[in-house]
Amino acid sequence: MPLESPSRVSHKFCHAGPVSSTRKGSFREPQPYGLPQMPTTRFTTQFLLSALSAEQFPAPSVSEIAFLGRSNVGKSSLLNALVGEKAAKVSQTPGRTRAINFFALLDQRQHPRLLFADLPGYGYAKISKSISAGWPAFIEPYLAMRSMLKLCICLVDSNVPPQQSDRQLIDWLRHAGRDFAVVATKVDRLSGNERTRNVLALKKGLELEDVLPVSAKTGYGVKELWARLEAAGSE
Ligand code: GDP
């Protein structure tokens, strides 16, 4: 059974980019400093449930996007920047950190447009055998078999060199044929040169063509990330 009924934990928010709107010029001009791009479209995010086993996953409905990363990579902060504070708080609640937390993004008519799945952070220890060693057993089947999963957002820390555990996850996703995008978090901590150098190192170490630098603190890259999420959602 779901731990919490969908109607109990919901809140309104303005997220940083429209899921339903692709109108040109619908974003405001980039802020010179500070907040993420503020949206022109109002959405509601609704916490659906925390799943501790495959039986508890919500019935597949709309496109789903999964968020993955090592503990402390900045996943909650980025989710916060994307969909509002409560979503991140739910995901950090003790007991829910080992679960997959599902959120629905509702349009103005309260119809779900997209689901976000916040996966448990994996550890710093080298992952052996399976990507889900040290993860609850239902994570790997989720990634392998979830039919509406369109995109995996893999978070890596831009301040640290490429990690074996991240490499293993990415290799696994490649092998499974899952579409994924890698975002490098906390880039506000780096100078321009460091950012370029570290992003290059991540691309090389993880064998990636593209890495999107983001900062939950300044909002850097959040608009671009939304564009990617939106594209995946409309597939
Ligand atoms: P999680 O464990 O992956 O959910 O990571 P959190 O979102 O809780 O962040 C872990 C730590 O990194 C916290 O101390 C955050 O304040 C910090 N952090 C997260 N995102 C950013 C960012 O964009 N910039 C900076 N400077 N710090 C960040």
Side-chain angles (χ1 to χ4, degrees), residues 2-71:
L3 297 179
E4 191 133 15
S5 84
S7 57
R8 266 203 247 145
V9 186
S10 72
H11 71 285
K12 289 194 186 305
F13 71 99
C14 285
H15 74 53
V19 173
S20 60
S21 164
T22 54
R23 275 174 297 137
K24 274 199 165 167
S26 60
F27 292 111
R28 284 188 196 166
E29 284 300 303
Q31 307 285 319
Y33 174 75
L35 294 170
Q37 307 290 306
M38 291 314 286
T40 53
T41 313
R42 214 174 165 82
F43 283 92
T44 308
T45 187
Q46 182 181 43
F47 168 64
L48 293 180
L49 55 89
S50 292
L52 289 161
S53 69
E55 296 75 50
Q56 295 177 339
F57 295 161
S61 54
V62 292
S63 298
E64 208 161 294
I65 297 177
F67 292 80
L68 300 117
R70 286 184 301 124
S71 308

Side-chain angles (χ1 to χ4, degrees), residues 32 41 51 108 120 141 161 163 176 180 199 201 203 212 214:
T41 313
Q108 282 156 319
Q163 298 292 300
F180 64 90
V199 165
K203 281 189 192 174
L212 176 66
V214 297

Side-chain angles (χ1 to χ4, degrees), residues 69-78 92 155 185-189 214-218:
R70 286 184 301 124
S71 308
N72 218 36
V73 71
K75 186 154 57 67
S76 302
S77 303
L78 189 62
Q92 295 244 301
L155 285 74
T185 60
K186 310 183 192 178
V187 293
D188 58 277
R189 290 186 181 166
V214 297
S215 165
K217 196 170 172 183
T218 66

Side-chain angles (χ1 to χ4, degrees), residues 51-222:
L52 289 161
S53 69
E55 296 75 50
Q56 295 177 339
F57 295 161
S61 54
V62 292
S63 298
E64 208 161 294
I65 297 177
F67 292 80
L68 300 117
R70 286 184 301 124
S71 308
N72 218 36
V73 71
K75 186 154 57 67
S76 302
S77 303
L78 189 62
L79 275 169
N80 188 358
L82 287 167
V83 299
E85 233 170 85
K86 286 190 183 167
K89 269 191 197 147
V90 163
S91 301
Q92 295 244 301
T93 309
R96 291 194 175 130
T97 54
R98 305 293 294 160
I100 301 182
N101 295 303
F102 289 91
F103 300 89
L105 301 193
L106 310 179
D107 63 17
Q108 282 156 319
R109 292 188 301 167
Q110 299 298 295
H111 293 158
R113 301 292 307 227
L114 200 58
L115 247 59
F116 281 1
D118 179 19
L119 272 71
Y122 46 94
Y124 292 103
K126 187 171 176 247
I127 297 176
S128 58
K129 288 186 195 156
S130 136
I131 57 148
S132 61
W135 258 357
F138 59 94
I139 303 292
E140 200 167 311
Y142 170 83
L143 291 173
M145 293 188 291
R146 184 73 173 166
S147 59
M148 294 307 287
L149 179 58
K150 302 288 184 198
L151 180 66
C152 295
I153 300 294
C154 303
L155 285 74
V156 297
D157 192 331
S158 68
N159 295 257
V160 300
Q163 298 292 300
Q164 178 64 17
S165 52
D166 295 330
R167 174 72 202 242
Q168 235 165 328
L169 170 66
I170 287 165
D171 285 347
W172 188 92
L173 292 172
R174 281 191 181 109
H175 186 72
R178 278 292 182 202
D179 198 8
F180 64 90
V182 176
V183 305
T185 60
K186 310 183 192 178
V187 293
D188 58 277
R189 290 186 181 166
L190 300 169
S191 71
N193 283 344
E194 286 170 333
R195 184 180 302 179
T196 308
R197 200 167 48 235
N198 290 9
V199 165
L200 263 176
L202 286 169
K203 281 189 192 174
K204 201 171 166 211
L206 302 172
E207 291 188 59
L208 300 165
E209 281 180 19
D210 217 12
V211 169
L212 176 66
V214 297
S215 165
K217 196 170 172 183
T218 66
Y220 186 88
V222 170

